Amino acid sequence: MDSHHSTRPRWARRFVALAGAAILPTVVACAPPGSGNTVTAPTDPIPVNIDLGTDPIELTLYDGAGLKKIDDAMIAAFTERHPNVTITARYDPDEVQAVNAPRVLASENPPDIARIIALPAAVANHQLTELDPWADAYGWNELPEEQMAMYRVGANGVRGTGPQYTMASGFTLTGLYYNKDLATRIGMTSPPITVEQFEQALASAKTAGLIPVMAGNKSAQVTFLVQMMLNSALGQDTVNDWVFNAPGATLDTPAGVDAAAVVADWAAKGYFPSDTNGTDATTAAGRFAAGEALFYVSGNWDAATLQTKMGENVGFTLPPAPAGAPVLAMSDPVSNFAIPAGSDDKNAAAAFLNFLRSDAGRQVAVDAGFAPSGTGDVPATAPGSLGSQIQVAFSRLVASGGQVQFVQNATNGMSGTWLPQVQMLVAGRTTPDEMMAAVQSAYEQDLLR
């Protein structure tokens, strides 16, 4: 998972059957050279073969420990379909996996499948395999463009265009949970769709003596609300370009400042708990479940806990948008899996990546509490459950092309930048202008611009 997961997207496609598929002799994949003298990847073209045959195949997979449940389930489902394949998983603690990944990729015996967070750096270091030949063989190019953008890196090191290097095991989804009983108390008969409706609900909740929005800002949850407004004010392309490190990308614009000012105004009106800066995400989820607030800004990772504690009294909705504007929501890969340059069996590793978007793989992701990769019918969930609401919301988001990357993941240091800035914004110790200038300055320093 990215940073928000551990402290925490498509229609009418079928899985491409691997068994019995023909070798595609005209399609080859060139393995990138290794980084330094530690990667021993072959440099000869590798014929793409989507038939795994029956001979024993051994693969290794590398990820963060917090994703062991979904990875183990995905491996079990894949190897059930391909019993000649054995996948051994290796997990590092979530807080160090991103730090350890470059060394693991550059080792003499790198994994065959690995979760990548700093994608441009891994590509620049020639540590990953270009996946375009397998994309052609399996039809990955037909995936939604906003998902494909997360998998591509161009020659200039900017994400969003260029060759494909990764495939997501599933996606997160961020939005608003709401307490149905409290909604009834203030006359809210349906979740807000527009920003205006959302603000009306906030004001009504405050008047009724309720906490309008529960947010654990010790864990920077107010950043979700800031990005919600940035998405609305700047649009999907501008925000994604910033996260993808496009040349000249900036959030420090008059519209960006205005977006931050909306959240600062909510704080000044007392729409967040008075101790939000001292409340972490886990505590915030518990307090929301106990009935302290009308809304709780979070994502799919809290659904199981909230369902258990609140039953039918909790609902989920996508972030509100300006009237007439497209629905946008933060939605990142769970694990953005790549094939290291030194993988011993790239064809089998690519078959695993293809499985992630199959009907069976999509069901595994949903069963683990995430949204599915690729396209297809909405996987099965318990009727009327919170999980079902989240999957319907996600399918709606994908249909509208509304996935946006989390701003905290723009650089390796961005999480550490946003946290104090949103805390100071809520406390009234910085202005929206100052906050956006500070964020942009740190961003450019991180990128050495």
Side-chain angles (χ1 to χ4, degrees):
M1 290 176 292
D2 297 322
S3 59
H4 49 279
H5 310 150
S6 56
T7 57
R8 5 214 179 317
R10 343 207 162 42
W11 304 136
R13 288 201 57 80
R14 298 186 304 166
F15 173 62
V16 179
L18 300 180
I23 294 177
L24 306 180
T26 61
V27 185
V28 297
C30 296
S35 174
N37 58 8
T38 56
V39 174
T40 57
T43 57
D44 293 333
I46 299 169
V48 171
N49 185 356
I50 62 174
D51 180 3
L52 298 191
T54 59
D55 291 340
I57 297 173
E58 294 186 0
L59 301 176
T60 56
L61 180 147
Y62 174 63
D63 206 342
L67 293 166
K68 186 178 188 300
K69 177 181 177 181
I70 181 175
D71 289 354
D72 286 356
M74 201 73 75
I75 290 169
F78 175 79
T79 54
E80 180 180 1
R81 187 166 291 192
H82 301 285
N84 61 312
V85 181
T86 300
I87 301 179
T88 302
R90 168 187 168 184
Y91 300 102
D92 270 344
D94 293 316
E95 63 270 20
V96 300
Q97 190 270 334
V99 176
N100 288 347
R103 174 180 54 79
V104 171
L105 294 174
S107 68
E108 293 184 359
N109 187 27
D112 300 287
I113 304 158
R115 172 176 173 252
I116 306 298
I117 294 177
L119 182 56
V123 172
N125 290 330
H126 307 291
Q127 294 174 323
L128 304 182
T129 303
E130 289 189 14
L131 300 180
D132 287 357
W134 289 280
D136 292 338
Y138 285 116
W140 297 345
N141 294 321
E142 298 177 16
L143 293 172
E145 184 53 41
E146 72 274 13
Q147 291 183 18
M148 291 298 295
M150 304 181 195
Y151 309 150
R152 301 185 184 278
V153 177
N156 59 354
V158 176
R159 293 171 60 203
T161 60
Q164 179 179 353
Y165 288 93
T166 59
M167 179 75 81
S169 60
F171 291 90
T172 62
L173 178 63
T174 305
L176 294 169
Y177 292 99
Y178 59 97
N179 183 304
K180 295 180 180 179
D181 286 346
L182 299 185
T184 300
R185 282 178 54 180
I186 67 165
M188 191 183 92
T189 57
S190 60
I193 296 175
T194 66
V195 174
E196 181 181 24
Q197 292 172 345
F198 181 55
E199 293 193 307
Q200 289 173 347
L202 296 179
S204 296
K206 182 65 176 178
T207 299
L210 305 173
I211 295 175
V213 184
M214 180 59 64
N217 208 33
K218 186 177 181 180
S219 303
Q221 283 190 317
V222 170
T223 308
F224 294 166
L225 290 163
V226 173
Q227 184 169 0
M228 184 179 81
M229 298 311 301
L230 287 170
N231 292 346
S232 297
L234 301 178
Q236 178 184 39
D237 291 343
T238 296
V239 176
N240 275 341
D241 280 351
W242 193 79
V243 179
F244 290 162
N245 308 153
T250 182
L251 300 181
D252 187 16
T253 65
V257 171
D258 288 347
V262 172
V263 180
D265 181 60
W266 292 345
K269 290 179 177 177
Y271 288 170
F272 306 127
S274 59
D275 58 350
T276 184
N277 280 348
T279 303
D280 63 26
T282 300
T283 302
R287 290 173 59 180
F288 171 73
E292 285 194 38
L294 174 61
F295 293 109
Y296 172 52
V297 54
S298 186
N300 61 281
W301 50 90
D302 279 325
T305 297
L306 295 179
Q307 181 84 83
T308 299
K309 294 183 177 180
M310 301 177 70
E312 297 182 358
N313 191 36
V314 59
F316 179 87
T317 187
L318 291 172
V327 176
L328 302 174
M330 292 84 82
S331 176
D332 271 356
V334 179
S335 288
N336 217 6
F337 280 128
I339 301 176
S343 167
D344 292 330
D345 197 324
K346 293 179 170 62
N347 281 311
F352 180 82
L353 299 191
N354 188 62
F355 179 79
L356 300 176
R357 70 181 188 99
S358 71
D359 290 344
R362 285 163 56 81
Q363 188 66 57
V364 169
V366 169
D367 290 345
F370 297 100
S373 185
T375 59
D377 295 334
V378 178
T381 51
S385 66
L386 192 56
S388 176
Q389 295 176 51
I390 289 173
Q391 298 307 325
V392 170
F394 183 72
S395 65
R396 179 174 154 232
L397 182 70
V398 173
S400 66
Q403 287 178 273
V404 184
Q405 295 274 265
F406 282 81
V407 293
Q408 295 101 313
N409 295 324
T411 72
N412 286 336
M414 271 297 103
S415 288
T417 296
W418 279 104
L419 175 59
Q421 291 299 323
V422 294
Q423 289 179 337
M424 289 190 295
L425 186 73
V426 167
R429 293 191 288 112
T430 191
T431 67
D433 302 73
E434 291 169 342
M435 183 183 85
M436 297 312 297
V439 167
Q440 186 65 27
S441 176
Y443 172 83
E444 293 174 3
Q445 289 178 29
D446 286 350
L447 297 176
L448 301 179
R449 291 180 178 174

